[in-house]
Amino acid sequence: MYGNYSSAAIAFSDASHGWVVVDEGSNSTAFYGIGYRTIDGGRTWKALSVPARGAVYFMNATTGWIFGSWAPGGGFYVTRDGGTTWVSSSVPPPTGYAADVVIYGPPGPDLLVAGSPVVEAAFSDPTSGTVVAIGFYVSHDLGDSWSLSGIYKVPAPNGNAFSSAIVSDATWWLSPPEWPNTSLVTTADSGSAWSMRTSPASQGASVAGLTFGDLDHGWALVTFSGCLMYKSD
């Protein structure tokens, strides 16, 4: 693979079958991307056409998904033939959010292996672009259909930057788009109840990424943007 790539996502379903989706410099008006597939553990790669940029996941050698975030190059797509062809998919919006813009996030990778993936879909106000709710959807038929498992309605939405971690089919963590509030929220019952947790991000910072190894052990990527002022004695 040669060229200038701005980002790449990689997935392997086993030791032999792998995929790479690369963004070749997409911008606000056009999507430029390409995919590659290997069936021999990375020794050789075959170029593929891909419909979106973003996270790529494969449950086995034939069934996989691409979760594109922002358009162009956004959307939610599924393949049943190892990435040769892709079909657009979608989730049913919750009541009251049918007119909102949908942005898809990656699923919990361990749940893909288990056969019951959970994916997130953020719903943004079509006028302001602010994320007002984040839904979590589960599939029990390898992605043929999706049903709403739970939803987090952002109490004081501000902006569209958020991060999340799908730890299990019922346990999820969120850093909601409520700037400058940096608190985390979590649920252990598929969104029936949400609890607030202290964030590792200080005032002026934000949690740009969340990941968990199990129910108790997690990591947060904290970023800071702004000006710092120092006084010299």
Side-chain angles (χ1 to χ4, degrees):
M1 294 178 286
Y2 302 94
N4 296 317
Y5 304 126
S6 60
S7 65
I10 187 169
F12 272 79
S13 63
D14 54 47
S16 299
H17 297 85
W19 297 261
V20 176
V21 174
V22 294
D23 184 352
E24 298 180 297
S26 300
N27 53 46
S28 59
T29 60
F31 165 61
Y32 302 102
I34 191 171
Y36 296 91
R37 178 178 62 191
T38 179
I39 58 173
D40 55 14
R43 292 178 178 86
T44 60
W45 294 85
K46 176 183 178 181
L48 300 170
S49 176
V50 292
R53 52 177 170 171
V56 57
Y57 292 87
F58 273 80
M59 183 175 290
N60 50 46
T62 58
T63 301
W65 296 270
I66 290 178
F67 300 88
S69 50
W70 296 99
F76 174 22
Y77 297 86
V78 61
T79 179
R80 305 292 184 187
D81 55 16
T84 301
T85 60
W86 296 88
V87 177
S88 177
S89 186
S90 62
V91 298
T95 302
Y97 297 95
D100 288 6
V101 178
V102 183
I103 305 166
Y104 293 100
D110 292 339
L111 300 178
L112 285 178
V113 176
S116 296
V118 175
V119 302
E120 66 181 40
F123 296 90
S124 302
D125 181 272
T127 302
S128 67
T130 299
V131 172
V132 294
I134 301 166
F136 294 83
Y137 292 81
V138 63
S139 175
H140 298 293
D141 54 14
L142 301 182
D144 283 333
S145 62
W146 299 85
S147 59
L148 182 66
S149 181
I151 188 170
Y152 179 76
K153 299 179 181 179
V154 184
N158 185 11
N160 54 29
F162 71 95
S163 55
S164 64
I166 300 173
V167 186
S168 72
D169 58 349
T171 301
W172 316 319
W173 284 77
L174 277 174
S175 173
E178 296 184 277
W179 179 262
N181 180 13
T182 60
S183 296
L184 304 178
V185 294
T186 183
T187 179
D189 54 12
S190 300
S192 295
W194 292 87
S195 302
M196 187 173 294
R197 296 288 188 270
T198 301
S199 171
S202 59
Q203 185 72 20
S206 61
V207 176
L210 286 169
T211 185
F212 277 76
D214 54 41
L215 293 177
D216 297 318
H217 298 85
W219 295 262
L221 174 64
V222 176
T223 62
F224 181 90
S225 61
C227 298
L228 294 176
M229 298 183 65
Y230 297 91
K231 180 178 181 298
S232 175
D233 292 331

